[in-house]
Amino acid sequence: MTENLADNTQTVGDPSSSMKSVRQAACQIYRRIMMVPPTQYDVIHKGLNVFMTCDVPVDKPLALKQWEGLRRTYQDHGLQPEICQPAPGAVDMVYCANAAVVHNNSALVAGMNAEPRRQESEHFANWLREKGFQVEEMDKMGLNAGTYCEGNAELSPMYDLSAFFYGYGIRGTEEGYNVILDRLSLDKKDVFKVKLIDERFYHIDVCMAPLSLGHVMMFPGAFDEESLKTIRSVIDSEKLIELTEKEALQFACNSVSFISDKDEAVVVAGKFSDRLKDLLGTLGYKVVEVEYEEFLKGGGSVRCSTLDIGQVNGKSTSL
């Protein structure tokens, strides 16, 4: 069973110095992030996911304003997003959580099931190499046909990296699980396969969210019964926050949680229900909502636009 710091937290905004050091040491997610500005963003690939209907055009100036607002929110809480400029014509590249799975100093660049997005992979690979990561590209591994893993969107870690959940069944494939284990040197006992069964929740990052004090938000309807048993056996019941369908469709799980430079347990999201905001507040989280509606047209919210590139045990990556 996983452990967390929530039971011992003090009021957010007035932490003791000892709690400060414990929180910072324990939370290993979203210490260092990459973002892609939406200068190429548009929704033109109808049906790539069920939200991409192309019925309402993207307001591009508003999209840029909303993206800048998300970046400022991160900066205001001590994160300094590193910027990867999009490739020309790569309209979906703003959803950079699909770029790669990054663990320690290794980056496994995505093998995209979504054909229009395959042009992004080499661009992301070059950027990650320039940053000093050891990069492997799934597209160049000679894998069996039909082996796909669309980056960090398929892998949901616990806050301390003690366990990972690999989601497959919609865009990612079961075969991608073995590629992750092999190429990122992860222990099989720490990485759990869970099957997604609802087209609306096509990646695990839209139906499961790790939080920085050890809780996990999850929408049960996105998973098959066997996978729900797995999740509930790994995560203590008091740490598991189960969402309603309405909350899940507000992309509540597509949020980003981290420990700020002021030792706040922050959760950044596009939209939370009042119930969820109240619950997270009582658990010690600072909830920050940002306007991000233009990106819902492409089937993503803030976590889709954020790649965690600092998953290193004990300290942030320094390159």
Side-chain angles (χ1 to χ4, degrees), residues 206-247:
V206 294
C207 53
M208 176 182 281
L211 302 182
S212 56
L213 296 179
H215 300 88
V216 176
M217 295 192 298
M218 181 268 288
F219 174 55
F223 303 92
D224 71 4
E225 286 300 320
E226 191 63 32
S227 297
L228 283 176
K229 290 179 184 178
T230 297
I231 293 167
R232 289 168 176 155
S233 71
V234 175
I235 304 171
D236 291 336
S237 59
E238 65 269 24
K239 311 303 189 290
L240 193 59
I241 302 170
E242 297 193 6
L243 305 188
T244 67
E245 183 178 41
K246 182 177 180 180
E247 289 168 336

Side-chain angles (χ1 to χ4, degrees), residues 109-284:
V109 174
M112 295 286 194
N113 193 343
E115 192 277 333
R117 299 199 60 183
R118 292 174 188 167
Q119 62 173 314
E120 301 172 17
S121 295
E122 187 170 0
H123 191 85
F124 280 130
N126 291 337
W127 187 90
L128 289 161
R129 285 192 186 96
E130 289 172 2
K131 292 293 180 178
F133 289 94
Q134 299 297 315
V135 174
E136 291 198 74
E137 300 174 60
M138 287 185 66
D139 289 346
K140 298 180 179 180
M141 290 181 184
L143 301 171
N144 292 335
T147 300
Y148 301 114
C149 171
E150 296 193 331
N152 209 41
E154 312 284 18
L155 193 70
S156 190
M158 293 296 294
Y159 81 116
D160 57 357
L161 305 188
S162 61
F164 303 80
F165 294 91
Y166 175 77
Y168 72 95
I170 308 295
R171 292 260 285 267
T173 60
E174 190 171 9
E175 293 81 4
Y177 171 81
N178 291 323
V179 179
I180 285 178
L181 292 181
D182 179 46
R183 302 299 172 144
L184 298 180
S185 299
L186 292 171
D187 194 321
K188 186 175 182 178
K189 69 179 177 58
D190 297 327
V191 186
F192 301 89
K193 286 188 291 187
V194 290
K195 187 173 182 178
L196 307 179
I197 58 172
D198 188 324
E199 292 284 343
R200 298 171 299 175
F201 304 100
Y202 55 96
H203 286 140
I204 200 168
D205 70 350
V206 294
C207 53
M208 176 182 281
L211 302 182
S212 56
L213 296 179
H215 300 88
V216 176
M217 295 192 298
M218 181 268 288
F219 174 55
F223 303 92
D224 71 4
E225 286 300 320
E226 191 63 32
S227 297
L228 283 176
K229 290 179 184 178
T230 297
I231 293 167
R232 289 168 176 155
S233 71
V234 175
I235 304 171
D236 291 336
S237 59
E238 65 269 24
K239 311 303 189 290
L240 193 59
I241 302 170
E242 297 193 6
L243 305 188
T244 67
E245 183 178 41
K246 182 177 180 180
E247 289 168 336
L249 289 172
Q250 291 174 326
F251 283 78
C253 283
N254 204 237
S255 53
V256 172
S257 184
F258 57 94
I259 302 297
S260 76
D261 57 347
K262 296 180 181 178
D263 203 48
E264 302 162 309
V266 178
V267 185
V268 180
K271 180 68 175 176
F272 277 153
S273 68
D274 290 340
R275 179 195 80 91
L276 202 49
K277 284 186 282 191
D278 290 344
L279 175 59
L280 292 174
T282 64
L283 293 172

